[in-house]
Amino acid sequence: MQKEKIRNSILLLLTAIIWGTAFVAQSVGMDYIGPFTFNAARFLIGGTVLIPLIIYRSKKNPLLRNQSMEEKRKNRKTVWIGGICCGIALCGASLLQQMGIQHTIVGKAGFITTLYIIIVPLVELLFGKKIAKKIWVGAVMAVVGLYLLCINENFSIGKGDFLVLICAVLFAVHILVIDHFAPKADGVCLSAVQFFISGTVSAIGAILFENPNVSAMLEAVVPILYAGVMSCGVAYTLQVIGQKDMNPTVASMILSLESVISVLAGWIILGQALSMKEIIGCVIVFMAVILVQLPEKKK
């Protein structure tokens, strides 16, 4: 059991590394193609990569094989409805993230995006859910961290930072939509459908607002494949395997390391360094993210 936990922790750490370095791929991809085109390509690839996993799991899972036609029809309907809702939310969040990365560095984008972990319980407050004290403390810490990370000497927030902040809000909505549909449908199927929906909507946007061409996409093929195959397909699969029988709190904390890795990747690969003020802001944001994930003390 201990060996399995260690293996799962390593898989989740690999997931965080892939997601963190994917910010670099997303930034480099913007040098060649627009955000709609990039998202269309990576999400359609991501959905395609998950198809073999879906087929494999359907053959290995006896519960799925032995379902009646009525159960299969009902599950298929739930997967499509949930996938469409998740895909639209994912499309909006990812598009804002891509636009934001054009105007800010990947390290800051990684930390700001991670704030969805704090935003989710705050959104739930609107639906009458009680919020623990640590969430409020974490929210205050996040605001302080964001101030140090984003507010410049003119007391204004950069365009890229603002877009990524709105993206974090949409990612929080995306998480809540998944939370609603995930218990009712197969998670991998739901993810594949949301990728195809998001990719299709992005493709329509690319046709309407951009001028996608094959030569430009070929120049961006490496970041597209990394974001599509590795970030969407491989990382999601590693997350599914790694979270099995894993403490959710520990799992979420390991996955939160993607923000730290995004800073390191931006610095090592792209040479994007943070100022001391921004580094302090990152540390405070990361502490806030960890705080809200700590388990409550049992009374």
Side-chain angles (χ1 to χ4, degrees):
M1 182 60 104
Q2 188 63 30
K3 287 184 179 179
E4 187 176 333
K5 286 185 177 179
I6 293 172
R7 186 206 67 173
N8 289 354
S9 297
I10 293 172
L11 292 178
L12 291 175
L13 179 59
L14 284 173
T15 303
I17 291 172
I18 293 171
W19 283 345
T21 50
F23 280 95
V24 173
Q26 291 172 239
S27 178
V28 174
M30 293 298 91
D31 294 337
Y32 304 98
I33 54 179
F36 279 105
T37 304
F38 186 88
N39 277 352
R42 73 157 168 163
F43 283 130
L44 291 175
I45 290 172
T48 303
V49 169
L50 286 180
I51 291 176
L53 178 63
I54 292 171
I55 296 172
Y56 173 80
R57 292 176 78 247
S58 65
K59 290 181 178 179
K60 288 289 183 179
N61 192 334
L63 293 176
L64 294 176
R65 287 202 311 268
N66 299 328
Q67 282 182 338
S68 65
M69 291 301 295
E70 179 62 26
E71 288 175 322
K72 288 182 179 179
R73 187 192 66 79
K74 187 177 180 181
N75 288 342
R76 197 177 295 118
K77 181 180 178 181
T78 303
V79 165
W80 276 101
I81 294 174
I84 291 171
C85 294
C86 293
I88 292 172
L90 178 64
C91 181
S94 299
L95 180 63
L96 286 173
Q97 188 181 63
Q98 283 301 123
M99 290 177 173
I101 286 176
Q102 289 180 296
H103 305 284
T104 190
I105 62 177
V106 297
K108 291 170 73 173
F111 270 92
I112 297 170
T113 300
T114 311
L115 284 173
Y116 69 79
I117 294 173
I118 296 173
I119 297 171
V120 165
L122 293 178
V123 172
E124 289 178 325
L125 180 65
L126 300 175
F127 298 95
K129 186 172 180 179
K130 291 185 178 180
I131 302 298
K133 290 181 181 178
K134 67 177 182 181
I135 304 297
W136 294 113
V137 175
V140 172
M141 290 174 64
V143 170
V144 174
L146 272 175
Y147 176 83
L148 295 172
L149 188 60
C150 303
I151 302 300
N152 57 33
E153 59 275 4
N154 298 321
F155 293 98
S156 61
I157 185 170
K159 178 182 178 180
D161 297 335
F162 178 74
L163 289 173
V164 178
L165 182 58
I166 303 301
C167 135
V169 175
L170 287 184
F171 268 127
V173 173
H174 176 247
I175 292 294
L176 292 172
V177 175
I178 287 179
D179 186 60
H180 176 75
F181 285 102
K184 306 174 183 178
D186 180 78
V188 182
C189 292
L190 186 68
S191 188
V193 172
Q194 75 164 351
F195 285 155
F196 281 121
I197 294 298
S198 185
T200 302
V201 173
S202 298
I204 294 171
I207 294 170
L208 293 176
F209 304 111
E210 296 172 359
N211 185 28
N213 61 81
V214 177
S215 60
M217 292 183 70
L218 287 175
E219 289 186 53
V221 68
V222 174
I224 287 174
L225 287 176
Y226 189 88
V229 176
M230 296 298 293
S231 182
C232 294
V234 175
Y236 179 80
T237 305
L238 291 176
Q239 183 191 15
V240 170
I241 298 170
Q243 282 196 226
K244 185 179 180 182
D245 301 322
M246 190 78 171
N247 184 305
T249 302
V250 176
S252 60
M253 286 184 180
I254 295 173
L255 293 174
S256 298
L257 289 172
E258 70 166 294
S259 58
V260 179
I261 292 163
S262 69
V263 170
L264 294 175
W267 173 51
I268 295 171
I269 301 174
L270 300 178
Q272 297 179 341
L274 295 171
S275 67
M276 182 54 66
K277 171 173 161 289
E278 290 170 335
I279 290 173
I280 293 172
C282 287
V283 171
I284 295 174
V285 168
F286 188 66
M287 288 170 62
V289 168
I290 295 298
L291 173 64
V292 301
Q293 296 176 93
L294 292 174
E296 292 285 335
K297 290 183 179 180
K298 293 182 179 180
K299 294 183 180 179

